[in-house]
Amino acid sequence: MTKFEFEDETYYINGESVYDSHFIAVSSDIADRVMESYFETIDYKNMSEGELVDFVRYMYKFKAYYLCDRVFKYGFEKFGKYDFARRLASTMTSVYRNVGQPKKAIEFAKDYIDEDDFYSIPLLTSLAAAYCDINEPLTAKKYCDEAYSLQGGGVGYINELSLVYKRIEAMLK
């Protein structure tokens, strides 16, 4: 458990949970703010490629999107597109969507899909959601259908892909 001071309060970080000084779990809003501040204190420049990938994913869980982008750019320069960036393609597409940049998410995702012929269900799903964000439901459906085909069809009712399909359906009404 890590002790961390934030805004004159003491917090404890244990994995994906944040507790106040009385060891009571805090709200997700407070946890996200505490964790973003905590992430700012971490020196990631000596991390291995795998550690940096895990760090970006960990920050993503706490909605530290701008920090994800900064650390991703550092890792991209250090490790490159094929080793590092490809492992985070779907995460970063989602990051760009969450900071209100769906067109950047589309450009980023399409760079991997078009250039590398890299198809992953999470990347295709995030790309489809970005097309929904810019009100292009037919293009979104094309990528959802590709993701659906890759997953073998019929996987669950409440996964991210099914939620994007619901968005498309609502947009086409």
Side-chain angles (χ1 to χ4, degrees):
M1 191 169 295
T2 303
K3 182 178 178 180
F4 184 69
E5 300 291 326
F6 174 70
E7 294 181 347
D8 299 323
E9 297 287 332
T10 300
Y11 293 94
Y12 295 92
I13 301 166
N14 187 20
E16 294 180 20
S17 300
V18 178
Y19 303 96
D20 66 14
S21 60
H22 303 290
F23 298 100
I24 297 173
V26 299
S27 70
S28 62
D29 285 352
I30 292 173
D32 291 345
R33 289 182 26 238
V34 168
M35 290 304 294
E36 186 167 3
S37 183
Y38 171 71
F39 293 140
E40 286 276 3
T41 68
I42 295 176
D43 179 13
Y44 54 84
K45 294 189 176 173
N46 292 320
M47 290 182 180
S48 69
E49 178 184 331
E51 290 169 330
L52 209 56
V53 166
D54 291 342
F55 184 54
V56 170
R57 289 179 178 154
Y58 187 54
M59 289 189 299
Y60 177 80
K61 288 179 184 179
F62 287 98
K63 302 176 185 167
Y65 302 129
Y66 292 103
L67 291 172
C68 286
D69 189 43
R70 183 181 344 140
V71 174
F72 173 79
K73 286 176 181 171
Y74 169 80
F76 183 88
E77 291 297 318
K78 184 173 182 179
F79 299 112
K81 179 176 183 175
Y82 296 100
D83 297 329
F84 177 76
R86 190 172 185 162
R87 293 170 68 185
L88 289 168
S90 62
T91 300
M92 292 309 299
T93 302
S94 186
V95 164
Y96 296 134
R97 288 187 53 244
N98 278 293
V99 297
Q101 298 179 345
K103 288 182 180 179
K104 185 173 183 177
I106 290 167
E107 290 172 17
F108 184 86
K110 288 193 66 135
D111 184 42
Y112 289 89
I113 290 171
D114 293 343
E115 186 177 307
D116 300 331
D117 203 26
F118 171 67
Y119 290 92
S120 77
I121 295 164
L123 181 59
L124 290 166
T125 303
S126 190
L127 178 58
Y131 274 108
C132 285
D133 294 344
I134 63 168
N135 201 28
E136 291 189 25
L138 296 177
T139 306
K141 186 173 182 328
K142 170 187 154 192
Y143 288 108
C144 273
D145 290 346
E146 287 184 46
Y148 185 76
S149 176
L150 277 177
Q151 79 176 10
V155 179
Y157 293 102
I158 309 179
N159 65 17
E160 189 176 353
L161 181 58
S162 66
L163 297 175
V164 177
Y165 267 123
K166 287 179 184 179
R167 282 182 70 190
I168 293 167
E169 185 179 307
M171 292 172 81
L172 292 173
K173 282 186 181 183

